[in-house]
Amino acid sequence: MRMWINGVGVDSTSGQVIEVADPATEEVLDTVPAGTPADVERAVAAAKAAFPAWRQTTALERAQMLHQAAARMRDHFDELVRLLTLEEGKPVPENAEEIDWSLNTLDYYAELGRHIRGRVIPSPAAGQLSLVLKEPYGVVGCIVPWNYPILLLLWKMAPALVAGNTVVAKPSSLTPLTTLRMIQVAFDHFPPGVINVVTGRGSEVGDALVTHPDVPVIAFTGSTAVGQHIARLTAGQIKKLHLELGGKDPFVIADDAPLATAVEALSYAALINAGQVCTSTERVYVPRTMLLEFAEALAERVSKLRLGPGIEPTTDVGPMIGDAYRSKVEEHVADALSRGAKVLVGGRRPPHLERGFFYEPTVLVDVDHSMRIMREETFGPTIPIMAYDTFDEAIALANDTEYGLGACLYSHDARKVRRFYEEVRAGTIWINDPLTDNYAGPFGGMKMSGLGRELGEEGLEEFWQTKHVHWDIEGGFKDWWYPY
Ligand code: NAD
């Protein structure tokens, strides 16, 4: 496939390509251009040239273009779901949900962009007008990871566009295919240059985009390490950074939780997309009195999940995205075992699947916070469970992390629920319904999990800069001017 610059498909100036493989079979699906800084230059120049006219379009015109893109994605729904399943690996129902969410994000921001636009505030004196204006920045660089490549791109691109910015997007080199196909089939009615996609490696095109002087905003979703790298690279340029980074989300099971439902909720929260969700449950806290029964029920449930290629209708859990990601999970499990943890189920590559980056859903007990699996982002299908004695201790354990993306609680005790959402430092708190997003609900991290919010009104505000206009309409002499 080809990159998308200034409204047309193009090859890289390097003439080189990157192979994109199916993580379930390790077979090459297609190639994309291996972009270079020169390609970034072309894309940024196109986006910069398109900006003056784009920012003058009306909110209604932009909304109509976004609605049209959503409608065209609906027309190509099955094709996009299939391609996304092949390149990303998660099961078809999860990719159908991703595409459905993505096109609904376009519809949501199309309308929100028509609704919000600055305000008039009281002036300090009569005969004056004070306007608070919301203005686009210019070219927004959108850099996204492989785990939800379409959703995370549109969470940025939709609000950036309705706010009047133009966009240069860089998908992960592991999952660029659905993005390019989506742009071809659903976004080619936008004026040339308004949307551009450059494919390539993060260290080459990513760095070039991040440091480009004509790109004042970087909206990035990815690891905390790369987020820190971007912050360091851009420190001298004072760019607007929007960073959605890693997590180590806790799930606290309260002593009143209905065991069977909590087991189902937890399996989903920890294993959707093979645990490769930024808000995956990565550590679990269960009352000591319930631990044995809970862990056995969970192990029983998890052992019944069917591992296989995402494209097979019988698959519950797909492969991981790549070998390096699987190796990290193996290291975390080995570290935990060496410090006294026990595996109840899983803990290995499935013997019956020779190809693909599969790892069995894994339940561990006897874990503690000295272990990497309880401290670092594992990003795989692991569920380490730790006992607690009091709810105070559960909250302290939930907060014992450098991250603050999401946190889950299962409880019907209103006092516990209130304490949990007040005291746990995380950008999203889920009670009894883990990982459900809401278009109107701002999403993002506290602490090392990031800066800024996506979705909701906050997700649109990120792509506007605020200007205060103070206008004295008559413009007469002021008695506080010189001479004193
Ligand atoms: P990553 O940080 O390795 O890569 C993310 C993107 O950054 C990719 O497009 C990559 O090519 C690009 N990149 C890499 N090096 C770069 C550089 N030097 N300059 C500019 N761009 C560069 O992350 P990943 O492995 O693709 O994704 C997994 C990570 O993403 C996890 O840590 C996960 O928690 C995080 N994530 C966070 C959220 C959130 O909303 N907070 C959502 C999904 C994933």
Side-chain angles (χ1 to χ4, degrees):
M1 296 183 85
R2 306 173 88 194
M3 306 193 273
W4 188 259
I5 296 180
N6 210 19
V8 287
V10 295
D11 293 320
S12 167
T13 48
S14 70
Q16 308 286 308
V17 294
I18 295 175
E19 291 183 339
V20 182
D22 178 344
T25 61
E26 301 176 47
E27 276 162 22
V28 174
L29 294 166
D30 205 340
T31 62
V32 295
T36 62
D39 296 317
V40 171
E41 193 60 51
R42 286 198 286 174
V44 173
K48 188 181 175 189
F51 174 63
W54 180 249
R55 74 173 292 186
Q56 295 303 334
T57 52
T58 64
L60 181 60
E61 286 171 312
R62 292 178 207 156
Q64 284 167 339
M65 280 188 243
L66 259 72
H67 284 311
Q68 197 181 340
R72 293 173 70 189
M73 283 180 72
R74 274 189 196 96
D75 292 343
H76 290 267
F77 191 85
D78 291 343
E79 180 197 351
L80 294 173
V81 169
R82 183 181 159 76
L83 186 56
L84 186 55
T85 303
L86 293 176
E87 70 172 338
E88 202 278 339
K90 61 187 180 294
V92 168
E94 295 178 18
N95 287 310
E97 191 174 59
E98 175 168 355
I99 299 296
D100 187 52
W101 261 84
S102 302
L103 58 88
N104 281 310
T105 299
L106 292 169
D107 284 333
Y108 172 77
Y109 274 115
E111 293 308 311
L112 200 62
R114 296 175 63 195
H115 184 70
I116 303 175
R117 187 75 207 217
R119 63 196 200 275
V120 180
I121 55 171
S123 297
Q128 298 182 332
L129 194 57
S130 292
L131 307 175
V132 178
L133 301 183
K134 299 288 173 179
E135 295 191 340
Y137 283 86
V139 181
V140 173
C142 300
I143 302 179
V144 291
W146 47 265
N147 62 342
Y148 288 87
I150 302 300
L151 186 71
L152 297 174
L153 178 58
L154 294 189
W155 282 9
K156 297 167 180 51
M157 217 168 87
L161 292 172
V162 301
N165 303 280
T166 56
V167 163
V168 176
K170 196 212 82 63
S172 165
S173 48
L174 295 168
T175 54
L177 300 177
T178 318
T179 306
L180 291 174
R181 184 69 187 141
M182 172 186 77
I183 298 290
Q184 262 177 12
V185 299
F187 286 84
D188 69 347
H189 57 288
F190 279 76
V194 169
I195 297 168
N196 306 275
V197 181
V198 180
T199 52
R201 297 196 173 78
S203 52
E204 289 174 48
V205 292
D207 274 9
L209 182 59
V210 161
T211 54
H212 199 292
D214 292 330
V215 181
V217 185
I218 298 297
F220 170 83
T221 298
S223 60
T224 297
V226 174
Q228 288 168 323
H229 170 76
I230 289 173
R232 274 192 294 269
L233 275 186
T234 55
Q237 296 172 297
I238 317 289
K239 293 199 181 210
K240 158 87 177 175
L241 293 187
H242 182 137
L243 303 175
E244 298 289 344
L245 309 177
K248 189 73 191 167
D249 285 11
F251 197 142
V252 172
I253 309 293
D255 54 9
D256 68 294
L259 188 132
T261 320
V263 161
E264 294 295 337
L266 172 58
S267 311
Y268 173 79
L271 299 176
I272 177 175
N273 199 359
Q276 303 169 113
V277 185
C278 51
T279 50
S280 288
T281 291
E282 293 239 344
R283 46 201 179 101
V284 183
Y285 303 98
V286 176
R288 194 173 302 281
T289 49
M290 286 169 69
L291 183 77
L292 207 61
E293 195 187 356
F294 187 89
E296 276 173 8
L298 182 72
E300 168 77 9
R301 178 71 194 92
V302 165
S303 67
K304 297 213 166 76
L305 294 172
R306 298 158 300 177
L307 205 57
I311 205 74
E312 301 291 340
T314 49
T315 293
D316 297 313
V317 180
M320 297 191 62
I321 191 69
D323 209 24
Y325 292 86
R326 180 172 58 179
S327 298
K328 184 177 175 193
V329 174
E330 289 173 333
E331 283 168 22
H332 282 199
V333 171
D335 172 73
L337 294 181
S338 74
R339 292 166 193 271
K342 266 205 317 269
V343 166
L344 292 189
V345 66
R348 57 177 190 172
R349 300 178 184 196
H352 66 289
L353 291 166
E354 281 171 17
R355 302 297 300 274
F357 308 114
F358 292 95
Y359 191 79
E360 288 185 352
T362 299
V363 177
L364 295 118
V365 288
D366 296 343
V367 295
D368 62 49
H369 281 208
S370 72
M371 300 172 184
R372 292 180 69 192
I373 205 159
M374 297 299 274
R375 304 205 71 83
E376 298 173 25
E377 190 179 52
T378 308
F379 225 59
T382 52
I383 317 182
I385 310 177
M386 184 171 168
Y388 69 84
D389 291 308
T390 63
F391 199 64
D392 281 347
E393 189 191 351
I395 288 182
L397 287 166
N399 277 329
D400 180 24
T401 172
E402 62 184 2
Y403 293 107
L405 195 53
C408 300
L409 171 69
Y410 216 108
S411 177
H412 295 298
D413 177 339
R415 287 186 195 87
K416 288 198 172 78
V417 169
R418 180 166 168 212
R419 281 202 58 198
F420 192 82
Y421 72 65
E422 281 187 357
E423 294 177 33
V424 173
R425 299 258 296 134
T428 305
I429 305 286
W430 282 286
I431 317 290
N432 304 340
D433 182 16
L435 272 56
T436 295
D437 289 325
N438 176 347
Y439 305 101
F443 174 83
M446 294 184 179
K447 303 196 277 187
M448 298 287 270
S449 291
L451 298 171
R453 292 291 178 270
E454 303 195 294
L455 295 181
E457 291 181 13
E458 289 83 352
L460 177 55
E461 281 285 338
E462 297 283 342
F463 296 100
W464 270 323
Q465 48 194 342
T466 301
K467 181 183 278 176
H468 176 204
V469 177
H470 174 73
W471 180 8
D472 189 303
I473 295 159
E474 290 303 325
F477 180 80
K478 303 288 177 286
D479 56 9
W480 56 86
W481 291 353
Y482 297 128
Y484 292 146

